[in-house]
Amino acid sequence: SYVLTQPPSVSVAPGQTARISCGGNDIGSKNVHWYQQKPGQAPVLVVYDNTDRPSGIPERFSGSNSGNTATLTISRVEAGDEAGYHCQVWDNSIAHYVFGTGTQVTVL
Amino acid sequence: QVTLRESGPALVKPTQTLTLTCTFSGFSLTTRGMCVSWFRQSPGEALEWLALIDWDDVKYYNTSLKTRLTISKDTSENQVVLTMSNMDPADKGTFFCARTPDGDRFDHWGQGTLVIVSS
């Protein structure tokens, strides 16, 4: 089965940039979506189709995808960005939705 | 405004069948391309996709759980129902439903419902 690997945690100071990786075999050939999830809440889509943002999501959230790694970048990090972040793809070889292992972002 | 809300028992006994209902508004599951899916998240764990049903009543299941899952829809009631049989304490977690307008990204989610399996 297709596996997506994320670092368990990322720490960043306010105002700095957080980069969260999502590794998968030839992930650059897939559409990657990113979700933010705060404790006790549902996931919220923050980036879709590798680079697009849903309406209402700040421009500080951006995505990229190439080769074996997709990346979610959060610029000018704020305290409210502290949350778990999950990447997701559709694996059409087995008709499955696959999520990454999840990354906890801590704002110092 | 799109909303989804999960409902069902908070506690089930081992070996019982869990039935969860996702009631939605703001969209129709008869619209071409529209799908609703179910997910599970065990405490401190990653999101796990369980099943999906599309506008044309096509169904997809997580192969590792396929024998235990059934997904169905009632378009007149705007509901999607998931059943999971032979529940085990290890199945404890928060169950979410979400919609995808294109079978790819999930753009609206319910708040989730916590299910505990215990005798």
Side-chain angles (χ1 to χ4, degrees):
Chain A
S1 62
Y2 194 74
V3 176
L4 295 175
T5 302
Q6 298 180 236
S9 62
V10 168
S11 297
V12 58
Q16 299 304 302
T17 298
R19 293 180 179 85
I20 305 160
S21 61
C22 176
N25 184 41
D26 195 28
I27 195 174
S29 67
K30 302 180 183 297
N31 280 333
V32 179
H33 317 295
W34 291 91
Y35 303 88
Q36 177 194 69
Q37 187 179 25
K38 296 182 178 179
Q41 298 185 20
V44 173
L45 181 68
V46 293
V47 167
Y48 68 96
D49 291 353
N50 303 315
T51 59
D52 294 339
R53 278 186 314 278
S55 60
I57 301 300
E59 292 183 7
R60 301 184 298 103
F61 289 84
S62 62
S64 63
N65 185 18
S66 179
N68 293 320
T69 305
T71 303
L72 175 69
T73 301
I74 311 172
S75 304
R76 302 180 299 284
V77 166
E78 302 173 356
D81 299 332
E82 187 162 287
Y85 290 84
H86 311 271
C87 56
Q88 175 249 312
V89 302
W90 164 252
D91 181 4
N92 58 11
S93 67
I94 57 170
H96 258 231
Y97 294 94
V98 179
F99 285 88
T101 46
T103 298
Q104 178 64 37
V105 170
T106 299
V107 181
L108 301 170
Chain B
Q1 180 190 3
V2 173
T3 66
L4 301 100
R5 185 183 75 253
E6 304 87 353
S7 59
L11 177 66
V12 296
K13 290 180 167 49
T15 74
Q16 284 188 336
T17 294
L18 171 69
T19 299
L20 296 173
T21 300
C22 176
T23 303
F24 57 86
S25 63
F27 67 97
S28 173
L29 201 38
T30 61
T31 301
R32 185 177 185 85
M34 197 67 69
C35 314
V36 171
S37 208
W38 282 94
F39 307 83
R40 176 175 65 180
Q41 188 172 36
S42 301
E45 298 292 324
L47 287 162
E48 179 182 28
W49 170 72
L50 299 177
L52 176 141
I53 189 164
D54 77 6
W55 82 100
D56 205 22
D57 211 35
V58 176
K59 302 160 188 176
Y60 296 91
Y61 294 99
N62 184 317
T63 53
S64 66
L65 295 166
K66 184 174 184 176
T67 60
R68 300 174 54 203
L69 297 173
T70 302
I71 192 170
S72 61
K73 64 182 172 73
D74 183 336
T75 52
S76 64
E77 295 290 331
N78 282 348
Q79 292 181 331
V80 171
V81 175
L82 179 78
T83 65
M84 178 181 283
S85 64
N86 194 24
M87 291 292 285
D88 181 271
D91 292 316
K92 169 188 175 180
T94 299
F95 289 74
F96 297 95
C97 64
R99 82 153 198 186
T100 166
D102 57 6
D104 207 351
R105 70 188 188 272
F106 296 96
D107 63 350
H108 290 86
W109 294 67
Q111 282 302 300
T113 185
L114 177 63
V115 177
I116 295 172
V117 184
S118 175
S119 54

